[in-house]
Amino acid sequence: MNIYLLLNWKMNSTLIESAHLVEKYIEFLLDAPELLKVTIFPPAPYIFPLYEKLANTNSVTVGAQNVFEEPFGAYTGEISPIMISEACSYVMVGHSERRTYFNETNSSINKKIHLIMNNSLTPVLCVGEDLDTYNSGQVDEFIELQIKSACDNIKNIPANRFIVAYEPTWAIGSGLTPPPEIINERALLIKNVITDMGLMTDNASCPVLYGGSVNSINAKSFLELDNIAGLLIGQASLDLNQIGSIINQAFRQAKNNSKLI
């Protein structure tokens, strides 16, 4: 089973700093097993320069933090999936910050996913509850609605061409995380919803990742969970000490997975 590390830089770093980060990532990933999949999600202006910098390595790929829901048009400041399809392998969609600060809805997220897949890119759908929902005990229903709305009229996705990241809104940047056993239960719920929807071809397993205040101390406990296939990492991905440690932990987990094949 692949282990995914998706590194979301958000709106941080300069191009020079970004190039330095990438160089260090490559060093960390020397001799990494094939099952370890690392993708950076830099600010949009850096996508193509970093893609070119990574042209001679297979250890790191590039993703986009967001795209618009239309292929072309008079949408000043927006980016269409087709514009970044040459450089990117993955596109994040539905991140809680996009939902909160830019009022993205499940309907617009659904349009984006259709367009992303039509351009042969892999969507990374982010789902997760806010603190009020978490405390109400209605998390399962909340997440199920997010998935079903975002994936309306989507069927027969090939294996490893669709990823879901579980990221509770209240955990992002807070230093707080749900207990690992709860994260494992949420990931199983997500897998079951996707299976019930018939989303994947031949009921292929959908990778589910965890995101939300991931750091070098708690990463191992998440990577060891049965239903978690990797991590969506924000702030810690910009800290070389932290990300170096997390990559090393994922490196070992991927080697263990290789032995099971």
Side-chain angles (χ1 to χ4, degrees):
M1 180 178 71
N2 290 336
I3 292 182
Y4 298 87
L5 295 183
L6 307 187
L7 313 183
N8 181 16
W9 295 357
K10 307 187 180 184
M11 196 179 70
N12 290 298
S13 75
T14 65
L15 183 56
I16 292 174
E17 291 168 344
S18 298
H20 177 65
L21 278 172
V22 165
E23 289 169 359
K24 289 298 182 180
Y25 292 164
I26 293 170
E27 289 179 18
F28 293 148
L29 290 162
L30 289 174
D31 302 318
E34 189 177 344
L35 293 180
L36 180 55
K37 310 293 184 182
V38 178
T39 302
I40 59 170
F41 291 76
Y46 307 159
I47 286 175
F48 277 91
L50 295 179
Y51 165 71
E52 291 172 359
K53 188 173 184 64
L54 290 164
N56 295 322
T57 177
N58 295 320
S59 58
V60 183
T61 56
V62 181
Q65 296 178 19
N66 181 52
V67 290
F68 192 56
E69 63 196 54
E70 298 291 342
F72 293 104
Y75 305 104
T76 301
E78 295 294 343
I79 299 171
S80 165
I82 195 169
M83 295 175 179
I84 48 90
S85 60
E86 179 185 342
C88 291
S89 301
Y90 301 91
V91 179
M92 203 180 309
V93 60
H95 191 281
S96 62
E97 291 164 358
R98 298 292 313 176
R99 296 176 189 262
T100 301
Y101 302 139
F102 300 97
N103 300 313
E104 289 194 0
T105 64
N106 288 324
S107 176
S108 67
I109 290 165
N110 175 250
K111 291 179 182 177
K112 290 184 182 188
I113 291 176
H114 279 277
L115 196 56
I116 289 164
M117 298 190 70
N118 287 343
N119 284 280
S120 300
L121 296 164
T122 298
V124 180
L125 171 63
C126 300
V127 300
E129 77 284 358
D130 56 24
L131 189 56
D132 287 342
T133 304
Y134 182 76
N135 290 331
S136 74
Q138 301 298 310
V139 176
D140 289 5
E141 295 86 349
F142 186 88
I143 291 175
E144 183 172 351
L145 177 61
Q146 282 187 318
I147 297 170
K148 287 184 174 179
S149 300
C151 299
D152 188 38
N153 289 320
I154 297 173
K155 296 285 184 183
N156 299 319
I157 303 174
N160 298 317
R161 294 304 306 271
F162 186 77
I163 294 175
V164 177
Y166 169 57
E167 46 145 30
T169 304
W170 55 270
I172 297 170
S174 69
L176 304 173
T177 65
E181 60 271 19
I182 296 296
I183 293 172
N184 206 40
E185 289 177 9
R186 298 278 186 265
L188 180 59
L189 165 73
I190 291 167
K191 287 175 177 285
N192 288 340
V193 170
I194 288 171
T195 298
D196 291 345
M197 291 178 68
L199 208 61
M200 309 297 291
T201 300
D202 298 326
N203 281 331
S205 179
C206 173
V208 178
L209 317 185
Y210 172 72
S213 292
V214 174
N215 57 47
S216 57
I217 296 172
N218 60 27
K220 185 172 184 289
S221 65
F222 304 142
L223 289 168
E224 291 176 341
L225 296 173
D226 293 341
N227 296 311
I228 291 295
L231 303 170
L232 174 58
I233 306 166
Q235 193 63 36
S237 68
L238 301 169
D239 181 325
L240 287 174
N241 289 327
Q242 289 217 55
I243 194 59
S245 175
I246 294 170
I247 287 174
N248 189 44
Q249 294 171 50
F251 193 118
R252 291 197 296 270
Q253 188 67 40
K255 279 196 167 182
N256 290 337
N257 289 358
S258 298
K259 295 174 183 177
L260 298 176
I261 297 177

